[in-house]
Amino acid sequence: MGPIMLDVSGYELTPEDRELLDHPLVGGVILFSRNYYDQKQLKELIAQIRLAARNKILIGVDHEGGRVQRFRDGFSAIPAMGAIYARSDENLSQAQQYCNTFGWLMAAECLAFDIDLSFAPVLDLNGVSDVIGDRSFHAQPEPLIQLASEFIKGMHRAGMKATGKHFPGHGNVKEDSHIAMPVDSRSLEQITQLDMQVFSRLNDMGLLDGVMPAHVVYPQVDDMPAGFSKVWLQTYLRQKMQFDGVVFSDDLSMQGAAFIGDFAARANAALNAGCDMVLVCNNPDAAAQVIDSLPSELPINPRLAKLAKAPSADFDALIKTDAYTAAQRTLEAYYN
């Protein structure tokens, strides 16, 4: 399974898509709203992708709920994670039940279409960041851990691995790393006690299968953004936290990655820092540039294969299950 995850252009594969997917370095595809018309088309597109790929690959999507949900029509409307606690009248155990059910429901629906991963949940604190905002479960570490752990348990119950983002925490910077280079000037102690505590506690509970680092610079710790930093990825994540799951780069097309250099430089820097897989989205030329810049054969990374989905029911079978009916009732109760 190669170290590059890229995207495809539309509802079906183009010849250019097929050519890229046939490269030995391609190990994943991330889907966007532009890849979804209806359920039948999605099913066909994913079958085409699996067929065109040279390797066994991971298919991922950002399907967190709320404003970040790529497939809408025909899929359950998963609420924004930040709304759940308030909607439960700040009753933590009620909110936890909702999180567990919605984690299961989101994962079960994606798995039913042969999608391996939804890049979820967001583990950032709801601080000053507009781009995080209601994608975050809570503003404080303790309730966030309680809610996120249930969401992940729901995902795991469905058969999907969880990817926590954005390590070590994106909630305390105002800038959006899609369009700017955010800088978080707090001390390591502050970051460790607040934001990073969420990741380390969930990791200690055995709940984190993957992590996506933030395109944020924490100058008190290192002058490189976390996703390109050996200090963050090797010293803190791998050694101190003892994390042994997959590290995905955030999208290398984002502005927060730009100061590293061109796309080839970004991919090499991320892989050298300790990322297992790099995402190159919304820029096929950049994906080709990255592929051309890397050795055509890299050692097999056994971590990546662990994230592949187990066999699961297709959508027609899923909606007939008691668990699905119960989850729909819970969703209805949540909104009413």
Side-chain angles (χ1 to χ4, degrees):
M1 204 174 270
I4 298 169
M5 180 175 269
L6 42 76
D7 54 7
V8 294
S9 53
Y11 297 145
E12 53 189 51
L13 294 185
T14 63
E16 293 76 16
D17 291 330
R18 289 179 195 279
E19 191 180 340
L20 283 171
L21 286 169
D22 187 41
H23 196 281
L25 291 179
V26 174
V29 169
I30 181 168
L31 299 172
F32 289 94
S33 298
R34 67 168 183 274
N35 302 125
Y36 183 66
Y37 174 71
D38 62 19
Q39 291 188 346
K40 181 172 179 288
Q41 168 272 326
L42 181 65
K43 198 172 172 180
E44 285 168 6
L45 174 64
I46 288 171
Q48 285 177 10
I49 290 169
R50 296 239 183 248
L51 206 58
R54 181 179 300 205
N55 300 317
K56 189 169 169 45
I57 57 166
L58 292 171
I59 297 183
V61 64
D62 287 321
H63 203 80
E64 302 162 10
R67 62 193 152 100
V68 182
Q69 180 172 325
R70 303 301 186 213
F71 316 134
R72 303 248 174 213
D73 188 30
F75 280 75
S76 299
I78 306 293
M81 296 300 110
I84 295 173
Y85 184 62
R87 189 85 184 183
S88 309
D89 296 327
E90 302 192 356
N91 175 332
L92 189 62
S93 77
Q94 173 65 71
Q96 284 178 295
Q97 286 172 11
Y98 280 139
C99 286
N100 189 297
T101 300
F102 300 154
W104 179 86
L105 182 59
M106 177 281 293
E109 289 189 341
C110 288
L111 292 165
F113 287 89
D114 203 17
I115 292 166
D116 297 284
L117 294 170
S118 169
F119 288 110
V122 168
L123 299 178
D124 305 306
L125 298 173
N126 189 355
V128 298
S129 170
D130 295 330
V131 75
I132 301 300
D134 69 357
R135 294 166 68 192
S136 162
F137 289 90
H138 204 279
Q140 298 300 323
E142 199 51 53
L144 197 160
I145 291 162
Q146 301 296 331
L147 297 170
S149 62
E150 285 304 315
F151 190 84
I152 293 172
K153 285 172 190 170
M155 289 175 70
H156 282 171
R157 186 158 54 88
M160 182 183 281
K161 304 289 198 255
T163 305
K165 55 191 190 185
H166 305 82
F167 177 82
H170 197 310
N172 278 291
V173 284
K174 189 69 179 159
E175 302 90 348
D176 175 355
S177 53
H178 292 86
I179 53 173
M181 179 70 258
V183 176
D184 185 337
S185 300
R186 293 173 304 153
S187 68
L188 175 62
E189 189 184 14
Q190 286 173 298
I191 296 163
T192 310
Q193 285 178 355
L194 278 169
D195 313 60
M196 213 163 104
Q197 187 197 150
V198 178
F199 289 88
S200 48
R201 289 266 300 283
L202 289 169
N203 186 52
D204 290 346
M205 292 156 81
L207 293 175
L208 277 190
D209 309 292
V211 159
M212 184 176 278
H215 283 329
V216 175
V217 176
Y218 307 85
Q220 300 291 328
V221 182
D222 190 19
D223 57 4
M224 296 290 270
F228 304 93
S229 161
K230 284 184 177 167
V231 178
W232 281 116
L233 300 186
Q234 303 292 338
T235 308
Y236 288 100
L237 186 62
R238 292 283 186 218
Q239 290 162 25
K240 288 196 160 65
M241 261 177 58
Q242 299 279 292
F243 174 72
D244 191 37
V246 171
V247 179
F248 291 96
S249 81
D250 207 341
D251 178 12
L252 298 184
S253 305
M254 286 163 59
Q255 193 59 35
F259 99 108
I260 303 292
D262 65 11
F263 282 91
R266 295 176 209 181
N268 279 285
L271 290 167
N272 288 335
C275 288
D276 297 295
M277 184 171 262
V278 294
L279 276 70
V280 190
C281 309
N282 304 312
N283 193 331
D285 293 342
Q289 191 188 116
V290 167
I291 285 168
D292 291 343
S293 77
L294 293 169
S296 58
E297 283 191 31
L298 287 167
I300 297 292
N301 184 334
R303 286 195 189 107
L304 292 170
K306 292 179 185 168
L307 293 194
K309 70 187 271 297
S312 55
D314 70 9
F315 196 76
D316 291 340
L318 173 68
I319 59 177
K320 294 185 178 114
T321 63
D322 293 344
Y324 190 80
T325 308
Q328 289 300 326
R329 275 204 298 268
T330 303
L331 192 63
E332 208 174 312
Y334 173 86
Y335 280 119
N336 290 329

